[in-house]
Amino acid sequence: MSYLATATEGNLTLITFLPLAGVCALALLGLIFRLSDETFKKTAFGLSVLVFLASVPLFTNFEPGGGMQFTQNAEWMPELGVAYGLGVDWLSLTLVILTTFLTPFAILSSWNIAERKTKEFFSLILIIETAVVGTLAATDMILFFLFWEAALIPMYFLIGVWGTERRVYAAVKFFLYTAFGSALMLGAIFYLYAARVEQFGSPSMAIEDLVAVTTAFDGFLSPQGLLFAAFFLAFAIKVPVIPFHTWLPDAHVEAPTAGSVILAGILLKLGVYGILRMLFPFFPDASAAFMPFLSAAAIVGIIYGAMVAFSQKDLKKLVAYSSVSHMGIIVLGVTLPNIQGVEGAVFHMLAHGVSTGSLFMMVGMMYERRHSKKIADFGGVAAVMPVFAAFFILFSLASAGLPLLSGFVGEFLVLLGAFRESYLSAGLAATGIVLGAVYMLKAVQKVFFGPVEKEQNKKLTDLTLREIGVILPMAAIIVALGVYPKPFLSRIEPGAKRFIAEFAAQTQTGKMKAEEQWESKKR
């Protein structure tokens, strides 16, 4: 059966590779027919919309609690145990939908920004979409790693070529940080592969097979402790977890609008996905031992990100540090051994992707008009841009966690889960969330209210119909998720419950296996 014939059932190969295939087809057609930049942009946008429509059946046909679904498998390198395998479950489904939903808006938000090398700019966005969806859908470790790395290169060029003044510095810093973490993870993958062959007698790179590999844990310098550290650094840098966050504000500030939307909305989530998909299942005992430290780092990130955002004078940097704080909330959620924490973390990845991505779009639209991101350069903007101000305030309130908007649901669930484990942790996390409301409202007040004192601001134009078309769906999703989150929560909850139960069982089993190995060594 052809891929097109099964698209309505959720064909992951089609969804994953259609953006890349479209780029290749457009490149070939460009050589033959000399496509104009405008035609290329429209076709790229149409492709991204088609990918989103093809991904909708994943959501509508998904069976909550049904495990890995829409799987596709084929032999690739059978003698090495490497296969082509794709599938989605409770964890990857939400992030795949988020990726395919945000990509068209990332393209639209940069419609007039990429004035040079336009075809290359929009090609890179589509390539990132293929890499991210492939990362989330891969069920083979080598395939996962190839897609993981493939997302790095186009983002490097997006920042380094189309960014602002310090773009090269930001791009190199982003590349070095993430490449370092990836190199450590690759070494750990090969170790797990060798252990798999030794323990089971057959090679396999399937993620579910590597979960069954036993590694001894009796401290940080034990095999499981070192493997945990290698994987953790790769994922912690991507999130980023404090203190591995310093690349993110630079990357956000220097990146073009589409780059910031993709970074905040999509790429950062890959780190949390890796923690839940691999770090905890592969190394349950090390994860349990170091969980308090990860929780502490998450709380520090919540408060630190909020405090630094409060002191920012650059509007885009303020949104960037708010992203650090929100990712801290998400990481705290995944460290909580209860359904509220994990469910809230996964939902908040969706909510944060939409609200923060929207804020970066709005900042980009403002920069196009004013050529400044300094908060002090504005004031009274609501008087001349009332529609823009209304949308920006809505997105700011969603980011601050106002009830009935998307940001509230995930934050409430994470705090509820935190209160079940530790009043102190919950109180500290809540402090960071309160600070988030303070810095967002402070920025809104300074930018949009008061007298219009600067002459340049009096000439600002309000949103165009195209820009409203970009922003209005984002606003509708933010309200819909806040008012009625059940469609997503009902698909997350059964899988999250099973994940928590399996992690607890793995931890106990891992302890017994480690003790058996230790006793056999002594004998």
Side-chain angles (χ1 to χ4, degrees):
M1 187 177 294
S2 69
Y3 291 140
L4 291 176
T6 58
T8 56
E9 299 175 4
N11 189 298
L12 277 172
T13 296
L14 176 68
I15 295 165
T16 301
F17 289 101
L18 183 57
L20 180 60
V23 169
C24 296
L26 285 171
L28 181 60
L29 291 173
L31 292 175
I32 300 173
F33 299 107
R34 297 184 179 275
L35 297 178
S36 66
D37 289 348
E38 193 68 19
T39 301
F40 195 98
K41 285 193 292 187
K42 291 178 180 178
T43 309
F45 172 70
L47 272 171
S48 65
V49 172
L50 186 60
V51 173
F52 171 67
L53 294 176
S55 69
V56 170
L58 296 178
F59 186 80
T60 57
N61 297 336
F62 186 83
E63 297 180 10
M68 194 65 69
Q69 300 174 41
F70 310 102
T71 56
Q72 295 178 328
N73 296 281
E75 287 190 350
W76 185 9
M77 293 178 279
E79 65 281 358
L80 298 177
V82 178
Y84 171 82
L86 300 176
V88 294
D89 63 356
W90 68 277
L91 176 58
S92 50
L93 173 70
T94 300
L95 297 180
V96 168
I97 297 298
L98 176 64
T99 301
T100 60
F101 174 76
L102 280 182
T103 301
F105 294 100
I107 291 175
L108 284 177
S109 67
S110 302
W111 203 258
N112 298 321
I113 292 177
E115 298 177 351
R116 58 192 178 90
K117 300 183 182 296
T118 304
K119 298 182 180 67
E120 291 85 348
F121 180 88
F122 291 101
S123 294
L124 290 174
I125 295 177
L126 292 174
I127 293 170
I128 291 174
E129 182 174 25
T130 285
V132 172
V133 173
T135 303
L136 296 169
T139 57
D140 181 272
M141 199 67 207
I142 289 297
L143 193 63
F144 167 85
F145 185 81
L146 291 175
F147 279 124
W148 172 277
E149 287 299 283
L152 168 63
I153 299 170
M155 180 55 67
Y156 167 81
F157 284 111
L158 273 182
I159 299 171
V161 176
W162 290 274
T164 51
E165 292 84 1
R166 300 174 71 243
R167 59 185 180 274
V168 175
Y169 167 79
V172 171
K173 191 174 183 179
F174 161 75
F175 184 88
L176 291 178
Y177 266 71
T178 51
F180 173 74
S182 298
L184 293 175
M185 181 169 66
L186 182 60
I189 291 171
F190 286 137
Y191 183 98
L192 284 175
Y193 176 79
R196 162 74 193 184
V197 173
E198 180 182 354
Q199 294 175 22
F200 294 90
S202 60
S204 177
M205 276 292 186
I207 293 175
E208 64 177 357
D209 289 340
L210 294 180
V211 170
V213 174
T214 301
T215 52
F217 177 72
D218 56 4
F220 180 77
L221 297 179
S222 63
Q224 190 176 136
L226 294 175
L227 291 169
F228 172 89
F231 272 84
F232 172 74
L233 282 172
F235 299 142
I237 290 170
K238 186 76 80 175
V239 171
V241 174
I242 300 291
F244 310 107
H245 69 288
T246 57
W247 64 268
L248 181 62
D250 291 317
H252 270 316
V253 170
E254 304 304 328
T257 299
S260 293
V261 172
I262 293 170
L263 265 176
I266 301 170
L267 287 186
L268 303 187
K269 311 305 186 295
L270 296 182
V272 181
Y273 172 81
I275 290 173
L276 288 171
R277 172 70 73 216
M278 296 164 198
L279 188 71
F280 292 170
F282 285 180
F283 318 113
D285 296 304
S287 299
F290 293 105
M291 199 77 81
F293 299 99
L294 185 54
S295 297
I299 293 171
V300 170
I302 295 170
I303 298 174
Y304 171 82
M307 293 181 66
V308 177
F310 183 82
S311 65
Q312 291 306 309
K313 299 179 181 179
D314 182 295
L315 189 58
K316 195 173 186 183
K317 189 168 281 190
L318 181 148
V319 178
Y321 275 105
S322 79
S323 192
V324 173
S325 184
H326 281 284
M327 292 308 295
I329 296 170
I330 294 168
V331 173
L332 176 62
V334 303
T335 65
L336 299 172
N338 56 60
I339 182 61
Q340 290 83 5
V342 175
E343 186 179 21
V346 175
F347 187 88
H348 200 52
M349 284 195 276
L350 173 67
H352 170 263
V354 177
S355 62
T356 304
S358 300
L359 284 172
F360 277 121
M361 289 183 197
M362 300 294 282
V363 173
M365 293 173 186
M366 181 70 83
Y367 184 77
E368 285 184 59
R369 290 164 167 77
R370 187 66 169 79
H371 300 292
S372 174
K373 295 172 288 188
K374 299 294 183 184
I375 295 175
D377 289 340
F378 299 98
V381 172
V384 292
M385 300 175 68
V387 178
F388 181 96
F391 279 114
F392 194 97
I393 292 169
L394 174 68
F395 298 143
S396 299
L397 293 175
S399 179
L402 184 74
L404 298 182
L405 297 179
S406 60
F408 172 77
V409 179
E411 288 183 355
F412 176 79
L413 286 171
V414 171
L415 285 180
L416 184 61
F419 268 111
R420 290 186 58 185
E421 303 302 323
S422 167
Y423 291 162
L424 177 61
S425 296
L428 291 173
T431 301
I433 294 173
V434 171
L435 287 174
V438 173
Y439 66 69
M440 290 306 305
L441 293 176
K442 174 189 172 186
V444 165
Q445 191 275 328
K446 288 190 173 183
V447 172
F448 293 103
F449 298 106
V452 185
E453 297 178 346
K454 293 182 170 54
E455 197 64 32
Q456 300 97 314
N457 294 335
K458 297 178 181 178
K459 302 175 183 178
L460 294 175
T461 58
D462 213 340
L463 295 178
T464 64
L465 287 177
R466 177 187 65 81
E467 290 171 331
I468 292 176
V470 175
I471 293 302
L472 189 58
M474 306 292 281
I477 290 295
I478 282 173
V479 174
L481 290 175
V483 174
Y484 191 64
K486 183 179 178 180
F488 281 95
L489 292 179
S490 64
R491 286 162 172 79
I492 297 170
E493 184 174 350
K497 285 182 177 178
R498 188 173 63 250
F499 169 82
I500 293 169
E502 289 176 352
F503 177 70
Q506 285 175 325
T507 302
Q508 296 301 320
T509 302
K511 286 180 179 178
M512 289 187 290
K513 287 182 177 179
E515 289 173 1
E516 290 173 1
Q517 289 181 351
W518 177 251
E519 291 297 327
S520 64
K521 285 181 180 179
K522 289 196 297 183
R523 287 196 297 267

